[in-house]
Amino acid sequence: MPRPSKYPEQFRRDAVDLVRSSGRSLREVGQELGVNHETLRNWVNAAKAADAAGRGRSHGEEPVSADEREELRRLRKKVAELEVEKEILRKAAAYFAKEMGR
């Protein structure tokens, strides 16, 4: 089991934001914050990986679980089916309205 970090989560997020927005090197930002630059590099890389994986949710929220991903996939499929059905019904309504107008 990994040992708990001595740095709070909010501090790590703020440090990553500072690295991304300041344009300064990891070494400079690390010295300013009193954090080893390699530790800071790990935080930045972890944040990039989380963003790339689509887990870039709001700060403080937990990543999506496997069950939630499965439900999301199922719901997206259902929405797509309902959109197709809605389009068919819209076309049928237009057809019958045209037929009634004759």
Side-chain angles (χ1 to χ4, degrees):
M1 177 183 345
R3 68 179 176 85
S5 175
K6 68 179 185 178
Y7 300 103
E9 182 66 29
Q10 185 62 45
F11 176 80
R12 288 182 286 183
R13 282 195 301 264
D14 291 343
V16 169
D17 290 342
L18 182 61
V19 168
R20 288 178 171 176
S21 65
S22 70
R24 296 182 301 171
S25 72
L26 286 167
R27 191 172 298 274
E28 290 173 325
V29 174
Q31 285 176 345
E32 180 181 318
L33 297 175
V35 176
N36 184 293
H37 68 280
E38 289 300 327
T39 300
L40 193 53
R41 181 184 318 279
N42 290 338
W43 296 347
V44 170
N45 289 338
K48 284 180 186 176
D51 291 345
R55 289 181 281 171
R57 301 177 101 192
S58 300
H59 294 305
E61 292 185 34
E62 295 181 20
V64 178
S65 71
D67 290 339
E68 290 172 322
R69 270 193 298 277
E70 176 60 29
E71 182 180 15
L72 191 56
R73 185 198 60 75
R74 184 182 57 76
L75 291 172
R76 284 181 175 156
K77 183 178 178 182
K78 184 66 174 175
V79 166
E81 290 172 6
L82 291 172
E83 286 175 350
V84 168
E85 291 175 9
K86 181 182 81 169
E87 185 63 23
I88 291 170
L89 291 172
R90 186 188 64 76
K91 288 178 181 179
Y95 173 78
F96 287 120
K98 187 171 134 184
E99 287 293 316
M100 295 295 286
R102 286 188 183 178

